[in-house]
Amino acid sequence: MKKEFPENFLWGGAIAACQAEGAWNLGGKTLTVPDTMKYVDIDRGKALKQIHVTRESIEEAKKESDATYYPKRRGIDFYHTYKEDIALLHEMGFKVFRFSVSWARVFPNGNDSTPNEKALEYYDKVVEECLKYGIEPLVTISHFDMPIVLIEKFGGWYNRELIDLYVKYSKVLFERYKDKVKHWITFNEINMSIKAGPKTLGILNENQENYEEMLLQGLHHQYVAASLATKYAHEISPESKVGCMVAYFTTYPHTCAPEDALAMQKDDQLRNLMYLDIQAKGQYSYFAKKYMKEKNVTLKVLENDLEILKAYTADFIGFSYYMSMISSANSENLELTSGNVINVLKNPYLEANEWGWQIDPTGLRYTLNHLYDRYQKPLFILENGTGALDKLNEDGSVHDDYRIAYLSEHIKQMKEAINDGVDLYGYTMWGPIDIISSSTSEMKKRYGFIFVDQDDLGEGSKKRYKKDSFYWYKNVIATNGRDLEK
Ligand code: BG6
């Protein structure tokens, strides 16, 4: 008999403060990197054109007090609509809701002596609203929303002082929500930093010769901060589970030439595993050490950093999965397509969504097996989904069969992986309610079961509508993944 999803499987969805909350200058919150990311109309699928964060773009944004061209400043106004929105998630039967806390709300000046009570009162309400419905809140401590003050005062994560500031911030959350929040994520997709350092680490010196060294130093500080946060979470509430997270870039060899297999192994190490090894096994891998040597990178590591990394590893492995790529020893004449934050080689066996991201449900089963085999820790799929151009009909319906097809194929593969013996205990699909795109700041790139009537420039009634997928996911949860049909 095939195994089913475990009875207590955590079905739900995930959002991030900087893409949903809006209220960018309310309640004492100060500016964050996403608040400075200007909307660009994107040439979908052809080439990657994500918004690039620079010192200049931040300076330009600081002069602008309007939100029109800075969509993340308004999000979907979740700051004010959280009650109505969480009620809709409850209607779908959510068991878990992943959201992030905005650091710049809680510590508006970065190094304030006490947290901003108004911000915490807001998160109290969000947490209570979830608990009222029996939805478990799963909190990401830092999701791509670097406070600008931390860049200006400290130079971002390159500065070791950020460790203490992050630990102080995390402790405030652990103390406040110790009886209410069990699952925490330290950093969203920590591996994105190597490609998006200004955005995620707040390290802006891209023209500097040793920029990569700065990024790896910034990452080292994040690893230590995450380990310390894990330590304190356990001390404050022994029941709590703290996860690490990467965006998984699953990759296959372009051909069966041994050189392509080696290229694949290297890409997997470089894009995924070296970040997970540190957080799951508690040490820099041989690959990471060799990589740094090749790049002439010398990290400043304090004596007990390595002990801290070893002693406080992640309780579970969280990852996002959207697409896959291929690797080749000789990629010169191969076609590219865009992917999440990076351009990737095109796989002729796969179709892609309108943004060029290659759709690969089987790759999810492959990834789950690969990760479980390597780490033997419980796995949690923290993001999965596909961006699409939805059409709201006059009768308020949205027929999104493509979304149902994408998600049901991925869930089938999760079931296969469970049957393979993988310990998978939760799934928070990405953006259950439409929010602003992280890479492009578009609103029209929608992932949700709930349509938000708002366009790229913020026009629209802001009303929420249930898409066809809303009813589909409700049934998936109600049948614990047994019925995936429409
Ligand atoms: C993940 C991020 O990488 O991808 C999310 O954690 C993001 O914040 C998601 O929204 C989808 O990417 P995008 O650019 O389509 O919003």
Side-chain angles (χ1 to χ4, degrees), residues 229-394:
T230 307
K231 166 181 154 66
Y232 292 118
H234 291 160
E235 278 175 19
I236 294 168
S237 171
E239 291 291 290
S240 59
K241 299 275 176 230
V242 187
C244 60
M245 179 185 183
V246 294
Y248 214 92
F249 294 98
T250 301
T251 185
Y252 312 116
H254 171 53
T255 69
C256 50
E259 292 74 16
D260 282 352
L262 274 180
M264 177 203 99
Q265 221 173 22
K266 185 172 175 194
D267 280 343
D268 194 18
Q269 287 277 7
L270 190 61
R271 302 206 189 291
N272 308 307
L273 300 175
M274 73 173 186
Y275 309 86
L276 282 176
D277 283 351
I278 299 174
Q279 299 180 88
K281 295 183 174 180
Q283 61 194 36
Y284 279 93
S285 65
Y286 78 98
F287 179 88
K289 286 182 196 155
K290 183 179 118 229
Y291 178 74
M292 288 193 274
K293 208 166 170 194
E294 277 169 11
K295 297 270 170 185
N296 278 326
V297 168
T298 313
L299 290 187
K300 290 184 208 82
V301 177
L302 295 197
E303 218 180 287
N304 58 351
D305 283 0
L306 298 180
E307 281 163 35
I308 292 170
L309 294 175
K310 190 82 201 160
Y312 312 107
T313 56
D315 295 316
F316 64 95
I317 312 281
F319 68 102
S320 66
Y321 180 86
Y322 290 93
M323 37 140 285
S324 68
M325 51 181 254
I326 57 173
S327 302
S328 164
N330 183 7
S331 56
E332 239 169 62
N333 297 318
L334 299 179
E335 215 183 321
L336 286 173
T337 182
S338 58
N340 194 359
V341 175
I342 51 170
N343 277 324
V344 300
L345 296 177
K346 217 168 179 169
N347 184 336
Y349 294 95
L350 300 178
E351 294 193 346
N353 73 9
E354 281 152 307
W355 279 259
W357 297 22
Q358 305 186 108
I359 302 172
D360 179 16
T362 310
L364 180 55
R365 177 181 181 184
Y366 170 88
T367 307
L368 286 162
N369 276 280
H370 181 39
L371 285 175
Y372 192 57
D373 181 41
R374 191 175 178 97
Y375 299 112
Q376 301 283 315
K377 290 199 180 200
L379 304 179
F380 205 122
I381 300 171
L382 292 167
E383 295 179 22
N384 171 238
T386 189
L389 297 165
D390 290 334
K391 182 171 170 286
L392 176 65
N393 298 310
E394 271 181 20

Side-chain angles (χ1 to χ4, degrees), residues 15-16 18-19 50 72 98 143-144 188-189 192 199 245 247 249 320 322 340-341 355 357 383 385-387 430-431 435-442 445 447:
I15 63 166
C18 61
Q19 294 167 254
Q50 59 169 331
K72 290 185 185 115
R98 173 181 174 228
H143 188 130
F144 291 175
N188 183 62
E189 300 182 336
M192 286 296 203
K199 180 172 154 186
M245 179 185 183
F249 294 98
S320 66
Y322 290 93
N340 194 359
V341 175
W355 279 259
W357 297 22
E383 295 179 22
T386 189
W430 181 249
I435 52 177
I436 311 290
S437 151
S438 172
S439 54
T440 64
S441 284
E442 290 168 288
K445 188 179 189 188
Y447 287 81

Side-chain angles (χ1 to χ4, degrees), residues 20-70:
E21 279 178 8
W24 66 292
N25 54 5
L26 299 184
K29 177 183 164 295
T30 52
L31 205 66
T32 63
V33 167
D35 296 329
T36 71
M37 291 170 72
K38 202 171 186 175
Y39 161 78
V40 279
D41 205 359
I42 243 73
D43 196 5
R44 270 188 303 282
K46 302 231 170 64
L48 189 75
K49 264 206 226 151
Q50 59 169 331
I51 301 163
H52 201 61
V53 177
T54 60
R55 212 175 284 281
E56 291 71 39
S57 69
I58 292 177
E59 284 313 315
E60 189 193 327
K62 277 167 64 182
K63 290 186 212 127
E64 182 58 73
S65 56
D66 188 56
T68 309
Y69 288 96
Y70 292 97

Side-chain angles (χ1 to χ4, degrees), residues 119-136:
L120 293 171
E121 280 167 14
Y122 162 67
Y123 291 111
D124 291 349
K125 288 189 269 178
V126 174
V127 167
E128 286 307 332
E129 203 61 20
C130 291
L131 296 177
K132 172 174 126 186
Y133 294 119
I135 299 176
E136 188 185 315

Side-chain angles (χ1 to χ4, degrees), residues 157-158 190-198 201 203-221 223 266 269-271 274-275 284 287-300:
W157 276 98
Y158 183 62
I190 204 164
N191 56 330
M192 286 296 203
S193 295
I194 219 73
K195 289 286 167 197
L201 292 166
I203 302 178
L204 303 175
N205 325 46
E206 281 178 287
N207 298 327
Q208 214 147 301
E209 221 181 280
N210 64 346
Y211 185 60
E212 192 153 3
E213 183 170 75
M214 296 183 79
L215 295 183
L216 289 162
Q217 185 68 52
L219 273 163
H220 176 75
H221 295 151
Y223 299 140
K266 185 172 175 194
Q269 287 277 7
L270 190 61
R271 302 206 189 291
M274 73 173 186
Y275 309 86
Y284 279 93
F287 179 88
K289 286 182 196 155
K290 183 179 118 229
Y291 178 74
M292 288 193 274
K293 208 166 170 194
E294 277 169 11
K295 297 270 170 185
N296 278 326
V297 168
T298 313
L299 290 187
K300 290 184 208 82

Side-chain angles (χ1 to χ4, degrees), residues 49-119:
K49 264 206 226 151
Q50 59 169 331
I51 301 163
H52 201 61
V53 177
T54 60
R55 212 175 284 281
E56 291 71 39
S57 69
I58 292 177
E59 284 313 315
E60 189 193 327
K62 277 167 64 182
K63 290 186 212 127
E64 182 58 73
S65 56
D66 188 56
T68 309
Y69 288 96
Y70 292 97
K72 290 185 185 115
R73 293 182 180 188
R74 65 178 159 271
I76 55 159
D77 200 27
F78 184 78
Y79 188 77
H80 294 109
T81 60
Y82 68 90
K83 276 195 180 178
E84 175 193 344
D85 294 342
I86 293 172
L88 286 166
L89 304 182
H90 166 62
E91 200 181 319
M92 273 185 282
F94 270 39
K95 312 266 185 233
V96 60
F97 177 42
R98 173 181 174 228
F99 60 89
S100 70
V101 170
S102 166
W103 194 350
R105 255 188 222 294
V106 180
F107 283 100
N109 300 300
N111 53 356
D112 318 61
S113 52
T114 52
N116 172 13
E117 188 53 30
K118 198 149 188 222

